[in-house]
Amino acid sequence: MKHLVVLLFWLAVPSGLIAQQVDVYQRPLTFEPDRDFDALHYKVMLDVDVQQKQLTGQNTITLTPLRSDLKRVTLDAVSLEVSDVLDSRGFPLSYKQGKDKLHIELARSYSHSDTLTFTVKYALREQVSGLKFIDQTETNPFQVSSDCWPNQARQWIPCYDYPHDKVTQEMIVTVDNNLKVLSNGELIGISEDKERGKHTYHWKQNKPHSTYLINLSIAAYTVIEDSLGALPVNYWVYPRHEQDAKRSFAKTPYIIDFFNRIYGYDYPWEKYDQVISTHQGGGAEATSASLLGEGAVTTKQEEIDFSFEGIIAHEIAHQWWGDLVTCRSWEHNWINESFATYSDYLYKRFDWGEDEAAFDLVRKQGAYLREAQNRYMRPIVFAQYESPGDNFDSHAYPKGAAVLHMLRFVLGDETFFRVISEFLHRHEFQAVSTQDFMQCVKDVSGKNMDWFFEQFLFKPGHAVFEVTKRWNEATKTLSVEIKQTQDKWDRVPIYRIPVQLGFYHPGGKTVEKVWLNEAVEKFEFKFDEAPLLVRFDEGNYLLKELTYPQSEEELLFQVENDDMTGRLWAVDQLRAFNDSPKTIQKWNELSKQDEFWAVREAAVQRLSEFHRNSHKAAFLEGAGDRSSKVRAASVNALGKLKDPSMLGNFRRIYETDESYLVKAQALIAIGEIGNSSQLRFLGEAAKVRSPRNTLKNAAEQAMEQIRKAN
């Protein structure tokens, strides 16, 4: 994902400055719909004409009524030309097709104890977003690729298209012999039709899932076979991707195995595929498969800055969260997305290490806080939306992940993961609600956590803390006052939540957990001497904004002795002492010596912000850092010096550094100091292919700078 400048979220934003640009409470209430039947199985047969970009098909539907007098069945069907509806004996049924519905009159009345089957024959002759016909280009082969989320299966399959209805499924697809077909579940077989030059793939999904999780992917793919024990794990990629895909996807079985263990529930489907889809930017889950954007397959050079591993882990997590258990209506979509987002954090903590995972959590929290500060605040569980996509935002993804992190803190690790496992086992292959999860928490933990969910799921906002402390030398007493000020925002509560306070002394650290219940709380602690550091939210469990005045000495101690998250905080808070020689020296030292790249990067940024002209040597050293992020920040700082003598350095960095981000910063720096003689060089750089057009965008920015300056 694109590297974002963080740390903004640490700064308290006065409530009067929150720019709520969208009034989400003006959106309509959208409730889970009623239904007359439970669909059990779809047997879909398609003959795909790739030249004409159309298909003919039929869906044989098996269902059971949910009422005692079912005489009419209504299916979702958009853009489909229905030609016939036949009962199980092949006799025609009367039907009427509207703009987005197909109404079928049954031959008789059926009750809830019956099971009935009928077949809808149809054609699709226009281009729809639910099933894209994608032309061949220089970089991708011709493809047919489904995109059923959130309710687009109806555009190529007549069906009941809402997540609370789960079906088993067959997909029998005939295409030209040069194409391969991927769908959900197990491959039953491939039959040849030599006379037509076609073959037919038969896939069967034996366990029920929701229609938005149906997958159909067609292209001249290369299929790379892998496995986790007896579980087939395959990668459907473009032929040019084969070697890079083996490396890019190598950890897939390892990630599945990690989730098996941490969820206490083994991977539930017949196989797992990852398939490249041109129309995907990041990823999209389907049952037993994930559709991934072309950026998922990276060269070794691209992988330096544009690793897809977090997205790969997120989409794998959806095989449990979203596919095995599925939100029954879209206001509960956090069950899909918050759990998948928190799962990729858990994977990073396991595989990438504590610091990388902590920084990932910082970025997740920051993404939500930016949305809250600049767009809107809404409850995570929220039934007011125009379309389901309204709820797929930074509240559903990173905020929900942060809430799960807080729940884990309150419950404790052992209980939290028992809840997770029990919830998956209890509700496997079912559509679920938030209330189902709340009940599971009660049953497993013995704790009524409704107060927690009421605050963090059913109400908007987050905690805004103002913390002050005072040491009384005469009584050897430390007083800590904690204010919650977020109640100035409409509908945002004063939170009941525990917080850990860390007290650092020459001989070590002690931690005290206190419970917050009121707008203002005061706590007193006895010590032999004043702590060197009083750390608010030791362990970094709370989603928050924080104002916390600290002395320069305390912050200088913190950047040396705290965890990564605390060091990042302290580097930024030292802005208040930006003219102090001690702070300037510490930033300089940290830019070179801190063990984690994000702290070094932040130190470089602070030096560039306040004292760039006197720290050229530090920036030059940073331009050789082992982390491309630190190198990029250092080159950015050097560019802002506007030193013409550096032009050759920037050309050399562009030509020799392997990182696209660093190369891009070198181009931008050339724009800062260059003249019209550099335009030809920059024009050539703009032609170089790079992930997300990183070099093209940077070169064009540099050329624009030069043109404006001249």
Side-chain angles (χ1 to χ4, degrees):
M1 304 179 83
K2 184 178 179 182
H3 178 64
L4 300 174
V5 177
V6 297
L7 295 178
L8 271 178
F9 82 97
W10 291 115
L11 305 179
V13 179
S15 60
L17 299 182
I18 298 294
Q20 297 291 289
Q21 298 176 0
V22 179
D23 185 355
V24 295
Y25 292 94
Q26 292 300 312
R27 294 171 177 170
L29 277 167
T30 306
F31 297 107
E32 177 182 349
D34 296 335
R35 54 181 173 142
D36 294 330
F37 59 86
D38 179 20
L40 302 176
H41 185 74
Y42 295 146
K43 183 177 182 180
V44 181
M45 301 180 68
L46 303 175
D47 194 324
V48 182
D49 186 335
V50 297
Q51 283 74 35
Q52 297 299 317
K53 298 182 180 178
Q54 60 187 30
L55 59 83
T56 57
Q58 64 180 49
N59 186 13
T60 299
I61 299 163
T62 302
L63 61 83
T64 185
L66 296 175
R67 46 188 284 189
S68 298
D69 58 345
L70 186 68
K71 298 177 182 178
R72 177 191 249 201
V73 170
T74 297
L75 300 176
D76 298 303
V78 176
S79 303
L80 303 177
E81 299 176 14
V82 176
S83 58
D84 219 346
V85 181
L86 306 174
D87 68 13
S88 60
R89 298 173 297 168
F91 293 119
L93 296 173
S94 176
Y95 66 91
K96 181 179 180 181
Q97 187 171 8
K99 181 180 179 182
D100 57 1
K101 299 290 183 182
L102 175 64
H103 306 285
I104 301 166
E105 302 295 334
L106 303 176
R108 65 176 179 85
S109 177
Y110 291 85
S111 78
H112 58 81
S113 60
D114 293 323
T115 299
L116 63 143
T117 300
F118 58 88
T119 299
V120 179
K121 296 188 175 183
Y122 62 97
L124 174 63
R125 305 186 195 280
E126 63 181 84
Q127 298 308 297
V128 294
S129 54
L131 188 68
K132 295 177 172 67
F133 287 78
I134 302 168
D135 288 326
Q136 181 176 347
T137 70
E138 291 182 5
T139 59
N140 66 265
F142 175 85
Q143 295 172 57
V144 181
S145 184
S146 61
D147 185 11
C148 293
W149 178 88
N151 52 12
Q152 297 187 142
R154 66 188 69 186
Q155 296 179 359
W156 58 287
I157 304 170
C159 60
Y160 180 81
D161 198 13
Y162 199 80
H164 64 191
D165 190 44
K166 291 199 169 194
V167 298
T168 55
Q169 160 204 319
E170 290 174 82
M171 190 69 68
I172 303 168
V173 183
T174 300
V175 296
D176 295 341
N177 275 335
N178 64 311
L179 301 174
K180 293 183 174 72
V181 178
L182 173 65
S183 190
N184 311 88
E186 177 185 5
L187 181 60
I188 302 301
I190 306 172
S191 59
E192 299 286 339
D193 185 343
K194 294 183 180 179
E195 185 174 333
R196 295 177 63 203
K198 293 179 177 288
H199 55 186
T200 300
Y201 279 72
H202 184 176
W203 291 92
K204 188 172 184 180
Q205 173 66 42
N206 293 306
K207 298 170 184 176
H209 70 156
S210 300
T211 50
Y212 81 90
L213 297 167
I214 294 174
N215 167 52
L216 178 61
S217 300
I218 303 170
Y221 287 114
T222 292
V223 181
I224 301 169
E225 296 184 356
D226 203 347
S227 65
L228 174 61
L231 175 69
V233 178
N234 300 314
Y235 318 127
W236 297 59
V237 299
Y238 306 160
R240 68 179 176 87
H241 282 155
E242 184 170 3
Q243 292 306 312
D244 285 324
K246 289 178 181 178
R247 186 197 66 261
S248 298
F249 295 156
K251 285 187 175 180
T252 302
Y254 172 76
I255 297 170
I256 296 172
D257 181 62
F258 168 72
F259 288 144
N260 283 344
R261 289 182 282 110
I262 203 164
Y263 298 152
Y265 190 112
D266 285 345
Y267 181 86
W269 311 105
E270 292 92 343
K271 47 84 173 168
Y272 184 63
D273 292 300
Q274 288 173 153
V275 57
I276 298 302
S277 176
T278 298
H279 73 83
Q280 286 294 333
E285 72 274 20
T287 305
S288 76
S290 290
L291 284 70
L292 298 173
E294 294 174 347
V297 180
T298 56
T299 65
K300 287 184 178 180
Q301 183 179 3
E302 292 167 345
E303 201 169 61
I304 295 170
D305 303 307
F306 299 98
S307 170
F308 239 67
E309 193 172 330
I311 296 175
I312 288 171
H314 180 102
E315 299 306 332
I316 292 173
H318 271 308
Q319 298 301 312
W320 290 264
W321 303 102
D323 298 8
L324 177 64
V325 294
T326 308
C327 63
R328 66 176 305 109
S329 55
W330 296 115
E331 70 263 31
H332 303 290
N333 72 327
W334 77 285
I335 292 173
N336 296 20
E337 299 302 344
S338 301
F339 278 91
T341 304
Y342 192 55
S343 294
D344 73 60
Y345 157 78
L346 292 172
Y347 167 71
K348 289 168 185 172
R349 188 172 185 270
F350 169 73
D351 190 66
W352 296 10
E354 184 64 47
D355 284 352
E356 285 286 1
F359 185 71
D360 180 68
L361 193 60
V362 165
R363 298 207 318 178
K364 285 174 167 45
Q365 292 171 335
Y368 155 71
L369 287 167
R370 283 188 295 275
E371 183 169 271
Q373 292 163 356
N374 298 318
R375 297 193 66 221
Y376 56 80
M377 295 179 189
R378 68 168 180 85
I380 289 177
V381 180
F382 195 54
Q384 290 184 247
Y385 54 89
E386 296 278 357
S387 66
D390 291 339
N391 275 1
F392 285 77
D393 56 8
S394 288
H395 287 66
Y397 290 76
K399 182 183 182 183
V403 169
L404 288 171
H405 195 61
M406 289 191 288
L407 179 64
R408 179 181 168 192
F409 168 53
V410 175
L411 291 178
D413 276 16
E414 190 273 340
T415 300
F416 176 80
F417 287 108
R418 278 197 299 116
V419 168
I420 295 306
S421 180
E422 172 61 24
F423 185 69
L424 292 171
H425 283 278
R426 182 182 296 188
H427 296 288
E428 58 186 3
F429 310 110
Q430 297 175 27
V432 294
S433 68
T434 301
Q435 288 73 22
D436 293 323
F437 184 72
M438 292 168 64
Q439 186 62 50
C440 187
V441 171
K442 289 180 186 178
D443 294 344
V444 173
S445 71
K447 297 180 179 179
N448 185 340
M449 296 290 291
D450 288 356
W451 59 269
F452 179 93
F453 296 114
E454 177 63 24
Q455 295 178 129
F456 293 112
L457 295 183
F458 296 103
K459 291 185 178 179
H462 55 273
V464 178
F465 295 113
E466 295 179 5
V467 178
T468 56
K469 64 182 185 301
R470 184 173 63 86
W471 172 254
N472 187 321
E473 181 64 27
T475 62
K476 301 293 185 181
T477 301
L478 175 72
S479 299
V480 179
E481 181 179 271
I482 303 170
K483 293 182 181 179
Q484 297 189 48
T485 63
Q486 68 278 355
D487 61 323
K488 297 175 184 177
W489 300 328
D490 189 28
R491 299 182 174 91
V492 181
I494 294 296
Y495 292 99
R496 174 189 175 193
I497 192 71
V499 63
Q500 293 191 153
L501 303 177
F503 304 105
Y504 290 67
H505 302 276
K509 175 180 68 175
T510 60
V511 179
E512 295 284 345
K513 180 187 287 188
V514 298
W515 277 85
L516 307 179
N517 296 282
E518 306 293 338
V520 180
E521 306 261 14
K522 293 184 179 179
F523 303 93
E524 291 189 348
F525 305 91
K526 291 283 190 177
F527 297 110
D528 293 335
E529 57 185 340
L532 299 169
L533 168 66
V534 179
R535 176 71 148 83
F536 181 79
D537 190 23
E538 177 75 32
N540 314 301
Y541 294 108
L542 304 188
L543 175 61
K544 63 185 182 296
E545 293 182 45
L546 175 61
T547 299
Y548 181 20
Q550 294 167 271
S551 68
E552 183 182 23
E553 290 71 22
E554 190 174 14
L555 291 168
L556 291 171
F557 177 85
Q558 187 170 5
V559 294
E560 291 286 350
N561 295 279
D562 205 352
D563 60 23
M564 187 283 302
T565 305
R567 298 200 308 277
L568 268 179
W569 157 268
V571 166
D572 193 66
Q573 292 298 293
L574 282 167
R575 288 168 180 263
F577 307 97
N578 67 81
D579 286 332
S580 167
K582 291 181 181 179
T583 287
I584 297 167
Q585 178 61 28
K586 184 56 65 178
W587 279 339
N588 192 300
E589 292 172 1
L590 291 170
S591 72
K592 306 168 187 176
Q593 299 172 7
D594 194 272
E595 62 188 25
F596 190 63
W597 65 265
V599 179
R600 299 197 302 277
E601 177 192 46
V604 167
Q605 291 167 342
R606 298 295 78 75
L607 286 174
S608 178
E609 180 181 3
F610 294 107
H611 301 284
R612 68 171 66 113
N613 292 327
S614 55
H615 287 277
K616 181 178 178 180
F619 302 148
L620 284 169
E621 185 170 346
D625 193 273
R626 62 187 181 275
S627 165
S628 64
K629 309 296 192 302
V630 179
R631 297 201 302 277
S634 300
V635 173
N636 177 272
L638 288 168
K640 290 179 178 178
L641 295 176
K642 299 185 183 297
D643 181 353
S645 69
M646 289 293 298
L647 187 61
N649 297 67
F650 296 139
R651 287 283 294 263
R652 177 186 56 77
I653 290 169
Y654 172 77
E655 291 164 357
T656 61
D657 200 293
E658 290 187 330
S659 162
Y660 285 104
L661 291 181
V662 178
K663 287 177 179 288
Q665 286 298 333
L667 293 174
I668 292 170
I670 290 170
E672 296 273 9
I673 59 175
N675 53 44
S676 57
S677 66
Q678 304 299 320
L679 292 176
R680 182 175 179 182
F681 164 74
L682 292 169
E684 291 301 313
K687 298 176 185 177
V688 178
R689 183 174 295 165
S690 61
R692 305 174 191 174
N693 290 320
T694 304
L695 297 184
K696 178 177 183 292
N697 295 337
E700 290 178 348
Q701 179 181 335
M703 287 189 285
E704 182 65 19
Q705 286 176 296
I706 290 173
R707 292 187 183 110
K708 285 183 177 179
N710 292 277

